[in-house]
Amino acid sequence: MAFVSRFSRSRSSSRSPSRRESDSGSSPALTVAELERLLCSGKTACNHADEVWPNLYIGDQDIAADRRALSRLGITHILNCAHSKWRGGAEYYEGMNIVYQGIEAHDSPTFDMSVNFYPAAEFIHKALCIGGKILVHCAVGVSRSATLVLAYLMIRQNMTLVEAIKTVKGHRGVVPNRGFLRQLSGLDSILRTSRKI
């Protein structure tokens, strides 16, 4: 409960008008450089897993491989954003009652992560709706996994990209690569337009 109240305060403060907001109430999208500056503010440290939204964790491959730690956290779902045919997938969690989904994504500015935005958001949303706890992870837990959590907050929690970044940065240092930031900015524009209609 303390987390929820802490989150409520941080979300309401993240909705305060920015210097670029017009009287009409809509602000222009930030440039990638401005988004990078925003990502450099706030929390920069990371644990192996950090709760960035109630029951939603961003983590690294170390926590994903630690069955005991996953049990302690009560993780029921795992979204692996660095899935590979050479590493264990769902079979690694056999007997743990963990629902697993893997995405083969590369942490490269040229990789099209946007094709995963909606499927990942749905997986996260379904897990949270049934009272589950979900770990979204990649290798280090700062770029690929953070990108998909930001997309979830934008798609399912109706946040702008800036609000989503501020929410996550309040709990974990994340740094999506420039290509992912451009794709998230594109999603932000699409969602802003669709919410006006």
Side-chain angles (χ1 to χ4, degrees), residues 17-186:
S18 71
R19 62 178 169 78
R20 297 176 58 174
E21 203 157 50
S22 66
D23 292 335
S24 66
S26 64
S27 61
L30 297 181
T31 66
V32 170
E34 289 171 319
L35 291 170
E36 287 175 327
R37 277 195 295 279
L38 178 61
L39 285 162
C40 290
S41 66
K43 187 167 177 149
T44 55
C46 300
N47 297 303
H48 287 297
D50 291 294
E51 189 178 24
V52 297
W53 183 260
N55 297 323
L56 172 55
Y57 295 78
I58 296 177
D60 59 22
Q61 62 190 5
D62 291 339
I63 192 76
D66 189 338
R67 291 168 59 104
R68 190 175 301 167
L70 293 172
S71 292
R72 260 195 319 271
L73 286 172
I75 298 298
T76 60
H77 293 71
I78 290 179
L79 177 59
N80 178 359
C81 307
H83 180 81
S84 159
K85 58 186 171 194
W86 297 285
R87 290 186 183 218
E91 65 278 358
Y92 181 77
Y93 304 104
E94 198 169 305
M96 293 185 69
N97 291 322
I98 287 178
V99 179
Y100 175 90
Q101 182 168 316
I103 293 173
E104 288 189 44
H106 304 286
D107 190 10
S108 162
T110 60
F111 183 83
D112 184 6
M113 184 64 97
S114 67
V115 298
N116 297 305
F117 287 170
Y118 281 89
E122 287 310 302
F123 184 74
I124 294 167
H125 184 67
K126 285 179 182 175
L128 296 176
C129 281
I130 61 168
K133 285 188 173 185
I134 182 165
L135 170 68
V136 181
H137 81 90
C138 51
V140 183
V142 297
S143 184
R144 288 170 282 187
S145 53
T147 298
L148 292 183
V149 168
L150 292 169
Y152 161 75
L153 292 173
M154 294 163 65
I155 292 166
R156 281 302 193 157
Q157 300 301 327
N158 299 319
M159 292 187 194
T160 65
L161 176 54
V162 170
E163 289 170 336
I165 288 172
K166 288 181 178 179
T167 297
V168 170
K169 285 289 292 181
H171 305 283
R172 182 179 182 85
V174 295
V175 190
N177 70 51
R178 298 193 109 203
F180 293 172
L181 286 176
R182 283 189 196 95
Q183 293 167 40
L184 286 167
S185 186

